[in-house]
Amino acid sequence: MSLKLKFALICRRSDRGFALPIAIGLGFVFLLIAATLVMRSQGDQVTASAQKATSQGLSVTETGVTRVQAFLAKYPGFADKSYPWTTHLSNLITPCTSGTIYDAAADFNDWKTVGSGTDRFKVISYTPSGTDGILVVEGQARDGSNATSSTRLQARIPLNKDAIPSFPPPAAWAQNFGLGNNRITGNVIDASCSGSISADEDAQISGDVLRDPTLTLPPPLSVPAGAINLSAITSGTTILPRNTDTANADGVYVYRVAANAGKSIDLTGNPDKLIIKPGQKVSLYLDGNVRTQGGQVKIGHNCYDTDVTPDGEANAGATKITGCEPTNFQIFGGQNTTSILLGGSNTVDAFIFAPHAIDSGVNGSAQIRGSVWLKEWDAANGNHTVIEQTAAWNNIPTLLRPAKIAPISSWERQEIP
């Protein structure tokens, strides 16, 4: 046998034994790579599914926020009412438990589905403040009856009260009316559940009547810092501002009037009266009620009173005093102001706000030029024009203006308990 043939046979025998381990090793490597790719693919699918569910849950929640914002834009009176809004309607003087507005508010009291599927959202809370409302909504992406992802968002909805409304301030604004023979010149807001102004009483109002139970009055205003303290005004003649008093930075003389036997202003005798100097800005914050009666001037502020010592009545042929507006004189009822009863024989230029006053109205021949906003107007027996709307928004505190819903300024995710 030649030497070359011998070596060839030896090499052939050696390759046959070495190829098998290599083949097995390479097969194992390929199998490991395939398994890794399969596991990675499965992990990517799980991650993609989770991301899709999270994105879907976020989309559902954003849909809920948008729907609530549209609801508040349609019924802006709810913008300064806490959720659930049906609680507000149920706490009216005449509870509101049915009807279009109630049904719209009640629709948010439970989970609401999105589209034709099973995804849903729910309002968790809505808390208003003077400048914005904080809305919290939770949304769920669902597979049948199982939630695959839940997201909770907190959105800040600006409530713009700085802008002057497009309509004039209402002459009268109350949650319940009993007009009797009273006549009103100007628009009226009736914030009762089903409308407390009858068809016959509509004829006594020379303006529009807006019936909306969401438009109840804001709570009483806080007494500003630096207010001048006054004792209850009950007798004699009081002329404000006094020469010794100082106006605030806005040029307004602000007084806090204490109560005596529950009344801050109680003028029933002769010549008991309160006179406001025309051309000056005076605000009274009351601790108690108001009662005036009799045939003479009781509360006098008249922009045509040109006397050197004002008496609260217009002078014949006088022109309006420069800088004098009806809303220069303002009366703000506090928590304990439950009655505003105005009598006398004069016309008073004033803006009156007493959201807790329920035994209120104008008697005798008195008349108010400006606006009167009370909880109830139901204790009046005058058969003349008792309110003539002449007030302007620019002198009314911004906190009392109806809120305008602005676009959402910010939102953030919250943990779900």
Side-chain angles (χ1 to χ4, degrees):
M1 180 180 299
S2 69
L3 183 60
K4 289 182 179 181
L5 179 59
K6 183 177 180 179
F7 278 120
L9 291 173
I10 292 172
C11 291
R12 183 180 179 188
R13 197 164 44 243
S14 298
D15 287 343
R16 187 177 296 166
F18 184 69
L20 183 60
I22 291 177
I24 294 174
L26 289 174
F28 179 76
V29 170
F30 290 145
L31 182 62
L32 183 62
I33 292 173
T36 301
L37 292 175
V38 169
M39 292 177 64
R40 177 175 292 182
S41 175
Q42 290 177 342
D44 289 344
Q45 288 179 356
V46 171
T47 301
S49 297
Q51 290 177 341
K52 181 179 179 181
T54 299
S55 177
Q56 187 175 355
L58 178 61
S59 177
V60 171
T61 309
E62 289 176 338
T63 298
V65 171
T66 301
R67 288 193 185 179
V68 173
Q69 188 180 26
F71 167 79
L72 294 177
K74 184 176 182 179
Y75 302 107
F78 282 130
D80 59 3
K81 311 291 190 303
S82 297
Y83 175 84
W85 296 291
T86 50
T87 300
H88 160 72
L89 296 173
S90 299
N91 289 335
L92 294 175
I93 295 174
T94 302
C96 191
T97 57
S98 63
T100 302
I101 293 178
Y102 181 88
D103 292 343
D107 200 30
F108 289 101
N109 287 356
D110 204 348
W111 290 97
K112 287 182 61 63
T113 58
V114 175
S116 58
T118 58
D119 295 344
R120 63 185 188 176
F121 73 86
K122 179 177 175 60
V123 177
I124 302 301
S125 65
Y126 175 77
T127 307
S129 67
T131 57
D132 52 33
I134 304 301
L135 172 67
V136 178
V137 174
E138 182 176 327
Q140 291 183 346
R142 291 161 60 85
D143 181 7
S145 60
N146 298 319
T148 58
S149 175
S150 296
T151 304
R152 183 173 289 191
L153 294 180
Q154 175 180 289
R156 185 179 299 274
I157 301 176
L159 307 179
N160 184 12
K161 294 193 175 184
D162 291 332
I164 300 294
S166 59
F167 56 90
W173 184 352
Q175 191 176 318
N176 187 56
F177 282 92
L179 286 182
N181 293 319
N182 292 177
R183 294 191 295 275
I184 296 175
T185 300
N187 297 335
V188 171
I189 294 180
D190 181 358
S192 61
C193 180
S194 56
S196 60
I197 297 177
S198 67
D200 291 339
E201 291 173 331
D202 264 342
Q204 299 163 210
I205 300 171
S206 59
D208 296 328
V209 178
L210 175 59
R211 294 174 172 85
D212 188 342
T214 74
L215 294 177
T216 51
L217 290 169
L221 298 179
S222 300
V223 179
I228 303 167
N229 291 317
L230 287 180
S231 300
I233 301 172
T234 59
S235 62
T237 298
T238 301
I239 300 179
L240 297 176
R242 300 169 300 192
N243 293 333
T244 55
D245 295 333
T246 302
N248 64 14
D250 296 323
V252 182
Y253 292 87
V254 181
Y255 300 91
R256 178 172 186 169
V257 187
N260 179 30
K263 299 180 182 65
S264 289
I265 301 176
D266 188 15
L267 303 173
T268 59
N270 184 13
D272 301 339
K273 62 181 66 176
L274 167 64
I275 304 298
I276 306 299
K277 296 177 182 177
Q280 302 291 341
K281 295 182 178 181
V282 174
S283 295
L284 304 183
Y285 287 79
L286 309 181
D287 287 343
N289 298 327
V290 174
R291 180 181 66 167
T292 66
Q293 61 186 32
Q296 298 182 337
V297 173
K298 296 302 176 184
I299 298 179
H301 173 244
N302 197 302
C303 287
Y304 296 85
D305 178 5
T306 57
D307 293 322
V308 175
T309 301
D311 59 8
E313 294 193 82
N315 293 81
T319 57
K320 185 178 179 181
I321 294 175
T322 303
C324 187
E325 299 292 339
T327 44
N328 282 359
F329 176 41
Q330 302 182 345
I331 296 177
F332 299 107
Q335 294 287 345
N336 297 319
T337 305
T338 59
S339 177
I340 302 283
L341 286 173
L342 299 174
S345 61
N346 61 303
T347 297
V348 184
D349 291 336
F351 170 75
I352 301 174
F353 173 74
H356 290 333
I358 58 176
D359 181 22
S360 304
V362 172
N363 295 313
S365 58
Q367 181 185 13
I368 299 167
R369 280 194 304 235
S371 290
V372 183
W373 300 353
L374 311 168
K375 186 171 185 178
E376 286 193 68
W377 180 280
D378 60 356
N381 60 20
N383 58 0
H384 61 292
T385 298
V386 295
I387 305 175
E388 180 184 350
Q389 200 287 324
T390 57
W393 286 114
N394 59 326
N395 283 338
I396 295 174
T398 56
L399 287 177
L400 302 185
R401 296 176 185 171
K404 182 179 180 181
I405 305 299
I408 292 175
S409 59
S410 64
W411 61 267
E412 60 184 23
R413 289 194 183 186
Q414 285 193 330
E415 289 188 11
I416 300 176

